[in-house]
Amino acid sequence: RTFGKDSTSDAKLRSGGSCLDILVRNTVLVAVRVRPLNQREKGAASPECLTQEDASGLVLQRDGERDSRFAFDCVLPKEVPQRDVFDRTGRPLLHKVLEGYNGCLFAYGQTGSGKTYTMQGEGHGEQRGVIPLMCTELFSQIEERKDAKNITVQCSVLE
């Protein structure tokens, strides 16, 4: 089965297909999502310290220190919609899971960094997170394949 198109195209983002290629080649995809400044940081007039260089690079800028550059498989900027996060992380993983591979998707970061928002989202529609989007896609794919394959779903969640 072919891998579907991304819901949107953005020159600053890798395509979901290229993320799938990385996942196939390396068995791991490392993506980072930059969060916007929170209210406390805005109130303190804190400056932005991360700049996205390209689809896979970030620059950390600190006063009085040399810039630090970091490379990832996929960088998702702060304004990226939830669906784009799913298209570049969850959907490639789900594609491989439906081919019979085991998959694990986890969010890591400090308190308040946006893990729960990214994974669960808020409500319905555009704000749904990776988990509800993955469940919708998974059960849609199972329905499409029900006559050709017997698929068992097992899920563990740890927070």
Side-chain angles (χ1 to χ4, degrees):
R1 215 164 253 231
T2 61
F3 186 74
K5 291 184 166 244
D6 299 329
S7 58
T8 63
S9 63
D10 184 333
K12 291 191 283 184
L13 298 175
R14 280 193 186 275
S15 70
S18 72
C19 290
L20 175 62
D21 292 342
I22 292 167
L23 188 59
V24 168
R25 193 171 51 251
N26 300 336
T27 68
V28 171
L29 173 75
V30 179
V32 62
R33 184 179 195 182
V34 178
R35 71 161 175 81
L37 295 177
N38 61 33
Q39 291 304 320
R40 183 181 52 79
E41 293 161 336
K42 288 177 186 176
S46 299
E48 295 279 350
C49 63
L50 288 175
T51 304
Q52 182 177 357
E53 272 192 320
D54 54 31
S56 61
L58 282 178
V59 178
L60 173 62
Q61 301 155 326
R62 293 175 286 195
D63 288 338
E65 295 185 36
R66 199 170 70 193
D67 290 353
S68 299
R69 287 180 163 60
F70 298 92
F72 302 91
D73 295 323
C74 181
V75 173
L76 302 158
K78 63 185 174 196
E79 66 276 356
V80 71
Q82 292 281 70
R83 182 67 198 205
D84 284 343
V85 175
F86 170 73
D87 283 345
R88 285 145 181 92
T89 58
R91 202 162 52 90
L93 180 64
L94 182 58
H95 184 80
K96 295 308 293 176
V97 165
L98 289 168
E99 289 180 351
Y101 294 92
N102 289 322
C104 176
L105 177 68
F106 70 94
Y108 178 81
Q110 70 185 49
T111 300
S113 63
K115 300 177 299 295
T116 301
Y117 175 73
T118 295
M119 297 300 278
Q120 295 178 0
E122 293 176 350
H124 301 286
E126 298 291 314
Q127 299 302 314
R128 291 186 309 156
V130 171
I131 294 169
L133 290 168
M134 185 174 284
C135 289
T136 300
E137 181 84 8
L138 171 63
F139 289 107
S140 171
Q141 290 294 319
I142 289 171
E143 184 64 27
E144 282 182 28
R145 300 162 193 238
K146 70 181 180 186
D147 294 332
K149 281 189 172 182
N150 181 16
I151 298 174
T152 302
V153 177
Q154 183 177 357
C155 177
S156 299
V157 177
L158 174 66
E159 185 171 344

